[in-house]
Amino acid sequence: MAEAPLDVDGRINLDSPRYDQSTFVGRARHFFITTNPLNLFASGSDLDNAKAVVESYKKRAEPPGLTADEVWRAKSLYDSAFHPDTGEKMMLIGRMSAQVPMNMSITGCMMTWYRTTPAVLFWQWINQTFNAVVNYTNRSGDSPIPLKTLGISYTLATSGAVITALGVNKLVTKAPPIVGRFVPFTAVAAANCINIPCMRNSEMVNGIPVYNAEGERVGESTAAAKKAIGLVVFSRICMATPGMLIPPFIMQYLENKTTILKRFPWANAPIQVGLVGFMLVFATPLCCALFPQKSSMALNSLEADLQEKLKALPNTPDVVYFNKGL
């Protein structure tokens, strides 16, 4: 796997990930590092030191004797904890390195206790609260999300998930038991389709920053924002699919064909959490890698006014780039 090319002076280019992001394998390798839950154990001073190394290296003022591996280690820690656009340190549970432990715990419990209304209300609320934190933390661009928008998207997503779960639960009361196990996935998919667009509504109204091939900001695009949000919704649903569609078959088998859950009923939740966690270890980075983080759009796909603005530039870009968010 080829690593990021060196610059003209033979130095590491820290403006690009270590591995080739034009290939799925390169993006997957990058996200296996970025989503590594072990990054959560890095202390605040470790993260600040990593940021200092990255920033000093970019300014060609790094400490003498710094090796390439040390630079890349600092960069991986930096990427796992700091927002790519704003440079701000992200809240702990909103970081991509927290996705596996947080999602496996919440999803496993959501799939264990899905039959009663109180359980559905509680776990869908917990899940959407976590999703709201993640969506806010990993928003694209550098424009803040108003508290009003945050509250509306959170309320709509939580309501959508609960209504979907309760409605589908009612519809499948006479269906085979295995069907009921898929209700949480239906609710999660529906909520993602509500939560992410609502949370990032300001991006669709005001646009997100777009850049030329040299990394220069050339404007804001609402068309790019809509594409970014669509890609994120799709990848989030894909991310949840293995952990929410495969364990129900395993749990149904354990419940009907073995005595494990009858002898140890307390093991239901730990087994589901473990199964979901195992699948998320792979699904999280692989689904984050479905589309390039630095996505692109052709000039003729942008809104008309931005096209005119770019065509007036001395060097009109044929393609613009943007951070799609996670």
Side-chain angles (χ1 to χ4, degrees):
M1 173 57 59
E3 296 190 357
L6 304 179
D7 64 19
V8 292
D9 297 323
R11 291 173 61 82
I12 297 170
N13 179 11
L14 291 184
D15 290 326
S16 301
R18 185 172 189 174
Y19 302 105
D20 184 2
Q21 296 299 284
S22 66
T23 68
F24 174 76
V25 174
R27 295 194 296 272
R29 195 165 180 180
H30 167 71
F31 280 111
F32 267 107
I33 294 172
T34 305
T35 62
N36 183 355
L38 295 179
N39 287 332
L40 291 173
F41 294 102
S43 66
S45 60
D46 289 336
L47 296 176
D48 291 337
N49 289 337
K51 182 178 183 180
V53 168
V54 169
E55 292 179 344
S56 65
Y57 191 88
K58 288 182 177 181
K59 297 175 182 176
R60 299 172 179 265
E62 73 276 7
L66 196 67
T67 67
D69 283 341
E70 289 172 335
V71 173
W72 282 122
R73 173 57 183 162
K75 182 65 163 56
S76 69
L77 270 182
Y78 177 84
D79 287 345
S80 74
F82 294 89
H83 193 279
D85 287 332
T86 65
E88 297 175 353
K89 186 184 292 183
M90 297 183 287
M91 64 183 75
L92 186 69
I93 66 171
R95 299 174 192 170
M96 292 310 294
S97 50
Q99 286 294 291
V100 171
M102 291 298 297
N103 270 323
M104 66 182 282
S105 303
I106 295 172
T107 304
C109 291
M110 191 163 48
M111 293 171 65
T112 300
W113 296 289
Y114 64 91
R115 291 184 174 93
T116 67
T117 297
V120 169
L121 289 171
F122 179 76
W123 287 110
Q124 291 296 338
W125 168 66
I126 290 290
N127 188 48
Q128 292 313 314
T129 301
F130 172 64
N131 284 341
V133 171
V134 173
N135 292 336
Y136 177 81
T137 305
N138 293 282
R139 65 198 182 279
S140 174
D142 51 13
S143 56
I145 297 178
L147 289 177
K148 180 179 179 181
T149 301
L150 184 66
I152 291 173
S153 62
Y154 173 67
T155 302
L156 289 175
T158 304
S159 301
V162 169
I163 291 170
T164 301
L166 293 178
V168 176
N169 259 342
K170 187 173 182 179
L171 290 174
V172 301
T173 50
K174 296 182 180 179
I178 184 65
V179 176
R181 292 183 179 273
F182 297 112
V183 171
F185 173 74
T186 307
V188 166
N192 272 322
C193 292
I194 299 170
N195 196 347
I196 298 171
C198 287
M199 183 70 70
R200 296 173 59 174
N201 179 64
S202 62
E203 296 175 24
M204 292 190 286
V205 174
N206 302 315
I208 57 175
V210 293
Y211 305 84
N212 61 18
E214 288 71 41
E216 299 170 335
R217 185 167 174 166
V218 293
E220 291 76 36
S221 170
T222 56
K226 292 171 184 176
K227 180 177 179 179
I229 292 168
L231 296 178
V232 171
V233 169
F234 181 79
S235 62
R236 289 282 187 89
I237 293 175
C238 289
M239 194 184 298
T241 298
M244 299 192 79
L245 293 189
I246 296 175
F249 291 105
I250 298 174
M251 297 307 296
Q252 191 73 6
Y253 174 82
L254 293 177
E255 190 172 287
N256 295 335
K257 304 295 184 180
T258 73
T259 61
I260 294 175
L261 295 181
K262 293 182 178 66
R263 293 172 58 192
F264 308 104
W266 55 266
N268 195 324
I271 291 174
Q272 297 226 59
V273 169
L275 288 171
V276 172
F278 174 77
M279 292 172 192
L280 282 175
V281 165
F282 300 97
T284 300
L286 292 178
C287 291
C288 284
L290 286 175
F291 308 103
Q293 182 70 21
K294 185 180 179 181
S295 296
S296 62
M297 285 188 76
L299 177 65
N300 58 15
S301 296
L302 300 172
E303 52 269 42
D305 58 340
L306 182 57
Q307 287 188 44
E308 293 303 315
K309 175 184 175 181
L310 298 183
K311 288 176 181 177
L313 296 176
N315 297 308
T316 302
D318 295 323
V319 175
V320 295
Y321 300 89
F322 57 92
N323 171 29
K324 70 174 177 63
L326 291 170

